[in-house]
Amino acid sequence: MALEAATRDVPRVPWTRRHLLGLEELTRDELLAILDTAERFADAERRRKKRANLAGKVVVNLFFEPSTRTRTSFGLAARRLGADVLDFSSAGSSTSKGETFIDTAKNIEAMAVDLMVVRHASSGAPYLLAQHIQCGIINAGDGAHEHPTQGLLDMFTIRQKKGRLEGLTVALVGDILHSRVARSNIHGLLKLGAKVIVCGPPTLVPPAITELGVEMSYSLEQILPRCDVINMLRIQFERQRSGLFPSVAEYARLFAMDGARLRKAKPDLLLLAPGPINRGVEITPEVADGPHSAILQQVANGLAVRMAVLHLLCGQPGEA
Amino acid sequence: MALEAATRDVPRVPWTRRHLLGLEELTRDELLAILDTAERFADAERRRKKRANLAGKVVVNLFFEPSTRTRTSFGLAARRLGADVLDFSSAGSSTSKGETFIDTAKNIEAMAVDLMVVRHASSGAPYLLAQHIQCGIINAGDGAHEHPTQGLLDMFTIRQKKGRLEGLTVALVGDILHSRVARSNIHGLLKLGAKVIVCGPPTLVPPAITELGVEMSYSLEQILPRCDVINMLRIQFERQRSGLFPSVAEYARLFAMDGARLRKAKPDLLLLAPGPINRGVEITPEVADGPHSAILQQVANGLAVRMAVLHLLCGQPGEA
Amino acid sequence: MALEAATRDVPRVPWTRRHLLGLEELTRDELLAILDTAERFADAERRRKKRANLAGKVVVNLFFEPSTRTRTSFGLAARRLGADVLDFSSAGSSTSKGETFIDTAKNIEAMAVDLMVVRHASSGAPYLLAQHIQCGIINAGDGAHEHPTQGLLDMFTIRQKKGRLEGLTVALVGDILHSRVARSNIHGLLKLGAKVIVCGPPTLVPPAITELGVEMSYSLEQILPRCDVINMLRIQFERQRSGLFPSVAEYARLFAMDGARLRKAKPDLLLLAPGPINRGVEITPEVADGPHSAILQQVANGLAVRMAVLHLLCGQPGEA
């Protein structure tokens, strides 16, 4: 396959960034450089062997919001590349003793740290750090802003399954308003030539989002026949309490993916979901485990994408 | 010693299992293969050097019940063999966001994991996983069902101290009803030819347990002179509140091991306890620290036994 | 520089201790041996490479009080030297199930552990352990007694910035009564020939402390012009509730370091603070980030000092 061959080449652009803060500021060539590098790590056989790209480097997971899956994925990716990994969570940390966010990060950096993987409830927090910190910073999710490695692993999975991104129609379905996953998908997919539709109940789809260059819809039924890919965003039940959607049952009736709805879609529809999924709510078990779903493939690809990002930001050159 | 020599041999049976779920389903030869392999790791000098049996492998501790000692022992054993180790506890995990137990495990498996060490409050949980997961699974305690590596380390310690298991009389004393340690001991010891007596207050010793092939007694005094080994199960104080035994003082008077009781036992009685022990309750300090006790030796042996299990399930052949 | 050259020499005394419990019992030569060894690790370039001094060794962080920065620093230092590191916190541990402190430590030791780094709320706890445990013990803070590696990194930073310790006047300012950092500084600095002044409100400076050989003052204004170094101890707000100082504002007015006060000090005054700092309370932001402050340098030096201690206690000889 031509794509496979291309990935054995050197990256098309020399990588010069120190941070990965969001997909919004990356160029098309930089996005492709990450995806191509990730292909080299994605082959399970090669991933299994311990590599030395980050030997002697220290990667710190600095998570101010709870996370298991993203933190674990970054931790495993860094260890696979030979780095030492340290988990630093906010619970019981010095920030609870009155220390500022930046002072906490500067203190950690002073311990000879090379890369910080940062998750924070405030949009922009990793950008603030990047102005005060010398070591590399990876945004692992900031508020409702961006979650760039999730966007990258979604794009990687689409390209892996469809052979391309250009010209595809990709729908993001659910809570667009609060979703950093949606924002990173939108920025990345548009740059690589896909058409993006955002779809959900009116309370969760802000009209201003069309300014990013996406189509907007309140009806999954209407857009379904046109979609090549649907990315089912997670329902965050805590939003319901705030009155943003009337009931889980009503949401599921309109936006969940079940067998009946699937029959109205293209026969080769690809289904993504960032997880953890609520079985029987936004997706039925037979669909989640069916042939259209790439949910577990996404998790596996997340490891390859994060290895690629870690390698590009601070790996030994020529070691990919 | 003949035993020592035998352990240098290759395992008597080629190891073919992918999982260690319980001692009930292992054959006598498989039990011996684990114990013999553990002997090779038990020598402190050899244990100290870092080995490469599991180099490049990822072992995940997936604990849905709190544990320090078992989790630490598995973590150290895996690191000694060169594996990367990841701790995944249920607190703050995706299962609390509505994800199913099996989905959580499948997601972790998708991150290129080789072995999962699982503890769960529900009997049978690791068996359920084994039906849905491709990677190897080790049961680190499931409800009141089995705790196979604890059973193995108890058997290993008995064989180490007594030179054999066959023909010995081993008593399990305490809360038999809720003890997964008791069940794993019973299955393993009977297969290797020991006689097993279970002993405790009537509320904590279910008569149906005799169907497993053990003798039952409500009086430690009566069985004491016949025992070669006594395994003092831990008193779980939370059971007292549920009315299963009248008072700690009464329990201790009847079933605790103190100096006076010890004088009625065989002079070479071996005392085991899975720990953590309640000094002055089920065992007095002078007995716990005395010459009959192998409590700390059990902890050291636990490391060797877990190294053996990890190696047999996914180590490089010929690297023991 | 003569100092630099000296540090390339072998330690002046052969190191014979198994534990680092406090600076009170160390000789002047032993203190210098640690500081000189730390110099060899302090060069960032050399620190970056992964070393094998502790290859095959297991270091356990046994923390019975919450800590992020000290635990992280020890963990990174041990990993830099090739050790396996295990974090064992008291939350959810066996001590909460009725196990004694010493039994918990003995159980951990039985898992082939080489060094324990112990923090405990009770003064003397690491000394108690040292009487019952065979492996090496490092005191990472015991009650209000000692925090030897913090004292050492303070001394290291002073020597690094001033070229010497002998003849300098060092003030410790703040809550002397409850500060283990103060006690370790006093013992170490006096042995290496510095003059030490303790300074704070009368409720927080016990007059008996002068028996250690330090000068005492209740007025920062009076001692300020004489000081070469000021170590600003952290204000522990929980003390205020117990009535030990009247108000944070009043404390800050008398003992905080701001620009106005700094102008009354020697022009080359060196400012230390163990952190985490309360910006605007005991130190203003412009002073904390200004040219007199070595706060982040202290954190970096902490790594070097802890590598030195770990190496001296159980590293391969000739590998520094």
Side-chain angles (χ1 to χ4, degrees):
Chain A
M1 197 162 63
L3 185 70
E4 268 300 308
T7 64
R8 307 286 169 235
D9 298 340
V10 288
R12 301 159 200 218
V13 287
W15 189 265
T16 57
R17 290 181 186 270
R18 264 189 319 133
H19 309 301
L20 176 68
L21 300 175
L23 300 193
E24 185 174 8
E25 57 265 30
L26 294 193
T27 65
R28 181 190 143 81
D29 278 349
E30 286 172 324
L31 287 168
L32 288 171
I34 298 174
L35 296 182
D36 291 351
T37 305
E39 297 236 19
R40 297 186 232 162
F41 291 116
D43 170 3
E45 274 313 292
R46 308 179 79 209
R47 201 173 35 197
R48 286 298 165 125
K49 100 167 149 54
K50 188 107 176 179
R51 309 168 76 97
N53 308 50
L54 297 189
K57 307 277 182 176
V58 177
V59 176
V60 172
N61 280 324
L62 185 59
F63 275 56
F64 290 90
E65 275 189 338
S67 157
T68 304
R69 142 179 354 224
T70 303
R71 190 171 49 76
T72 301
S73 181
F74 270 111
L76 274 173
R79 284 187 184 88
R80 285 272 144 212
L81 297 174
D84 281 319
V85 180
L86 217 89
D87 282 310
F88 189 103
S89 67
S90 60
S93 83
S94 316
T95 44
S96 63
K97 295 186 194 168
E99 192 177 44
T100 68
F101 171 54
I102 291 171
D103 277 344
T104 296
K106 281 190 167 177
N107 269 276
I108 294 171
E109 185 191 22
M111 295 181 199
V113 163
D114 298 278
L115 262 180
M116 282 188 206
V117 180
V118 181
R119 169 164 291 189
H120 202 282
S122 301
S123 299
Y127 295 77
L128 182 68
L129 273 197
Q131 291 164 17
H132 292 87
I133 293 280
Q134 302 308 309
C135 74
I137 291 169
I138 298 175
N139 180 0
D142 63 325
H145 179 244
E146 280 231 35
H147 187 355
T149 55
Q150 179 71 43
L152 287 163
L153 75 88
D154 290 341
M155 294 158 67
F156 184 90
T157 307
I158 297 171
R159 198 173 78 157
Q160 184 183 51
K161 295 286 183 184
K162 297 288 189 186
R164 65 191 168 104
L165 286 161
E166 193 140 20
L168 294 180
T169 297
V170 181
L172 308 169
V173 176
D175 179 356
I176 308 299
L177 182 61
H178 302 94
S179 175
R180 51 198 179 205
V181 175
R183 263 157 208 74
S184 287
N185 265 274
I186 290 169
H187 290 302
L189 288 167
L190 292 179
K191 271 177 193 149
L192 294 193
K195 174 176 181 53
V196 178
I197 310 173
V198 297
C199 178
T203 48
L204 295 176
V205 179
I209 200 138
T210 56
E211 292 168 22
L212 296 178
V214 301
E215 185 183 330
M216 193 181 79
S217 168
Y218 300 142
S219 164
L220 179 55
E221 299 286 336
Q222 283 181 8
I223 63 164
L224 188 56
R226 285 192 287 144
C227 292
D228 298 297
V229 183
I230 291 186
N231 197 339
M232 310 287 296
L233 303 176
R234 177 178 164 65
I235 300 182
Q236 296 172 299
F237 288 110
E238 58 274 26
R239 309 296 181 200
Q240 195 192 347
R241 257 168 273 132
S242 58
L244 286 169
F245 62 94
S247 76
V248 171
E250 183 135 38
Y251 178 92
R253 193 175 58 78
L254 291 170
F255 296 102
M257 191 55 69
D258 57 17
R261 195 157 273 149
L262 202 52
R263 280 186 291 277
K264 300 175 188 162
K266 289 191 181 179
D268 62 346
L269 176 73
L270 174 64
L271 267 179
L272 306 180
I277 58 169
N278 303 298
R279 283 174 178 266
V281 182
E282 76 264 40
I283 194 163
T284 59
E286 65 274 19
V287 174
D289 302 331
H292 297 270
S293 162
I295 295 177
L296 291 176
Q297 191 63 42
Q298 285 174 276
V299 178
N301 290 339
L303 200 60
V305 161
R306 289 177 180 120
M307 288 171 79
V309 169
L310 290 166
H311 170 70
L312 288 170
L313 292 183
C314 82
Q316 307 292 334
E319 269 271 18
Chain B
M1 198 162 67
L3 185 70
E4 268 299 308
T7 65
R8 305 288 169 233
D9 297 342
V10 288
R12 302 159 199 216
V13 288
W15 188 264
T16 57
R17 290 181 186 269
R18 263 187 322 132
H19 310 302
L20 177 67
L21 300 175
L23 300 192
E24 184 175 8
E25 57 264 30
L26 294 193
T27 64
R28 182 190 142 82
D29 278 349
E30 286 171 325
L31 287 168
L32 287 172
I34 299 174
L35 296 183
D36 290 351
T37 305
E39 296 235 20
R40 298 187 233 162
F41 292 116
D43 170 5
E45 273 312 293
R46 308 177 80 210
R47 201 173 34 196
R48 285 297 164 126
K49 102 166 145 56
K50 187 107 175 181
R51 309 166 76 98
N53 309 49
L54 297 189
K57 307 275 183 176
V58 176
V59 176
V60 172
N61 281 325
L62 185 60
F63 275 57
F64 291 89
E65 276 190 336
S67 157
T68 305
R69 144 180 351 225
T70 302
R71 191 171 48 76
T72 301
S73 181
F74 270 111
L76 274 173
R79 284 187 185 87
R80 284 272 145 214
L81 296 175
D84 281 320
V85 180
L86 216 88
D87 281 311
F88 188 104
S89 67
S90 61
S93 83
S94 315
T95 44
S96 63
K97 295 186 194 168
E99 193 177 45
T100 67
F101 171 54
I102 291 171
D103 277 344
T104 296
K106 280 190 169 179
N107 270 276
I108 294 170
E109 185 192 24
M111 294 181 200
V113 163
D114 298 279
L115 262 180
M116 282 189 206
V117 180
V118 181
R119 170 165 291 190
H120 202 283
S122 301
S123 298
Y127 294 76
L128 182 68
L129 273 196
Q131 291 163 16
H132 291 87
I133 293 282
Q134 301 308 311
C135 74
I137 291 169
I138 298 175
N139 180 0
D142 63 325
H145 178 243
E146 281 230 35
H147 187 355
T149 55
Q150 179 71 42
L152 286 163
L153 76 87
D154 289 341
M155 292 157 68
F156 184 90
T157 307
I158 296 171
R159 199 173 76 157
Q160 185 182 52
K161 295 287 183 185
K162 296 288 189 185
R164 65 189 168 105
L165 286 161
E166 192 140 20
L168 294 182
T169 297
V170 181
L172 308 169
V173 176
D175 180 355
I176 307 299
L177 181 62
H178 302 94
S179 174
R180 51 199 178 204
V181 175
R183 261 156 210 76
S184 287
N185 264 274
I186 290 170
H187 290 303
L189 288 167
L190 291 179
K191 273 178 192 146
L192 293 193
K195 174 177 183 49
V196 178
I197 310 174
V198 296
C199 177
T203 49
L204 295 176
V205 179
I209 199 135
T210 56
E211 291 167 23
L212 296 179
V214 301
E215 183 183 329
M216 193 181 78
S217 167
Y218 299 142
S219 164
L220 179 55
E221 298 287 335
Q222 283 180 7
I223 62 164
L224 188 57
R226 285 192 287 144
C227 294
D228 298 297
V229 182
I230 290 185
N231 197 338
M232 309 287 297
L233 303 177
R234 178 177 164 65
I235 299 182
Q236 295 170 298
F237 288 111
E238 59 273 26
R239 308 296 182 199
Q240 195 192 349
R241 257 168 273 132
S242 59
L244 286 169
F245 62 93
S247 76
V248 170
E250 182 135 39
Y251 179 92
R253 193 175 58 78
L254 291 170
F255 297 102
M257 191 55 68
D258 56 17
R261 193 157 275 150
L262 202 53
R263 280 187 291 277
K264 300 176 189 163
K266 289 191 181 180
D268 62 346
L269 177 73
L270 174 64
L271 265 179
L272 305 180
I277 59 169
N278 303 298
R279 283 175 178 265
V281 181
E282 75 264 42
I283 195 164
T284 58
E286 66 273 20
V287 173
D289 301 331
H292 297 271
S293 162
I295 295 177
L296 291 176
Q297 191 64 42
Q298 283 174 277
V299 178
N301 290 340
L303 202 58
V305 160
R306 289 176 181 121
M307 289 171 78
V309 169
L310 291 165
H311 170 70
L312 288 171
L313 292 184
C314 82
Q316 307 292 335
E319 268 271 19
Chain C
M1 197 162 66
L3 185 68
E4 268 300 308
T7 65
R8 305 287 168 236
D9 297 340
V10 289
R12 300 159 200 216
V13 286
W15 188 265
T16 56
R17 289 182 188 268
R18 264 189 320 133
H19 310 302
L20 177 67
L21 300 175
L23 300 193
E24 185 174 7
E25 57 264 31
L26 295 193
T27 65
R28 181 189 144 83
D29 278 348
E30 285 171 325
L31 287 168
L32 287 171
I34 298 174
L35 296 181
D36 290 352
T37 305
E39 296 238 18
R40 297 186 232 163
F41 292 116
D43 170 4
E45 274 313 293
R46 308 179 80 210
R47 201 173 34 195
R48 286 296 165 128
K49 102 165 144 59
K50 188 106 177 180
R51 309 168 77 99
N53 309 49
L54 297 189
K57 307 276 183 177
V58 176
V59 176
V60 172
N61 279 324
L62 185 59
F63 274 57
F64 291 89
E65 276 190 336
S67 157
T68 305
R69 136 180 359 223
T70 303
R71 190 170 49 77
T72 301
S73 181
F74 270 112
L76 274 173
R79 283 186 185 87
R80 284 271 145 215
L81 297 175
D84 282 318
V85 180
L86 217 89
D87 281 312
F88 189 105
S89 67
S90 61
S93 83
S94 315
T95 44
S96 63
K97 295 185 194 168
E99 193 177 46
T100 68
F101 171 54
I102 290 172
D103 277 343
T104 296
K106 280 190 168 178
N107 270 277
I108 295 170
E109 185 193 24
M111 295 181 199
V113 163
D114 298 280
L115 261 181
M116 282 188 207
V117 180
V118 181
R119 170 164 292 189
H120 202 283
S122 302
S123 298
Y127 294 77
L128 182 67
L129 272 197
Q131 291 164 16
H132 291 88
I133 293 281
Q134 301 308 310
C135 75
I137 290 168
I138 298 176
N139 181 0
D142 63 325
H145 178 243
E146 280 231 34
H147 187 355
T149 56
Q150 179 70 43
L152 286 163
L153 76 88
D154 290 341
M155 293 158 67
F156 184 91
T157 307
I158 296 171
R159 199 174 76 157
Q160 183 183 52
K161 295 287 183 185
K162 296 289 188 186
R164 65 190 167 104
L165 286 161
E166 192 139 21
L168 294 181
T169 297
V170 181
L172 307 169
V173 176
D175 179 355
I176 307 298
L177 182 61
H178 302 93
S179 174
R180 52 197 178 203
V181 176
R183 262 158 208 77
S184 287
N185 264 275
I186 290 169
H187 290 302
L189 287 167
L190 291 178
K191 272 178 192 148
L192 294 192
K195 174 177 181 53
V196 178
I197 310 174
V198 297
C199 178
T203 48
L204 295 175
V205 179
I209 200 136
T210 55
E211 292 169 22
L212 296 179
V214 301
E215 185 183 329
M216 194 180 79
S217 167
Y218 300 142
S219 163
L220 179 54
E221 298 287 336
Q222 282 181 9
I223 64 164
L224 188 57
R226 286 192 285 144
C227 292
D228 298 296
V229 182
I230 291 186
N231 198 339
M232 310 286 296
L233 303 177
R234 178 178 164 66
I235 300 183
Q236 295 172 299
F237 287 111
E238 58 273 25
R239 308 294 183 203
Q240 195 192 348
R241 256 168 275 131
S242 59
L244 286 169
F245 62 93
S247 78
V248 170
E250 183 136 37
Y251 179 91
R253 193 174 59 76
L254 291 170
F255 297 102
M257 190 56 68
D258 57 16
R261 194 157 274 150
L262 203 52
R263 281 187 291 278
K264 300 176 190 163
K266 289 192 180 179
D268 62 346
L269 177 72
L270 174 64
L271 265 178
L272 305 180
I277 59 169
N278 303 298
R279 282 174 178 268
V281 180
E282 76 265 41
I283 193 163
T284 59
E286 65 273 20
V287 174
D289 301 330
H292 296 271
S293 162
I295 295 177
L296 290 177
Q297 192 63 42
Q298 284 174 275
V299 178
N301 290 339
L303 202 58
V305 160
R306 289 178 180 119
M307 289 171 78
V309 169
L310 290 166
H311 169 71
L312 288 170
L313 292 185
C314 81
Q316 307 291 336
E319 268 271 17

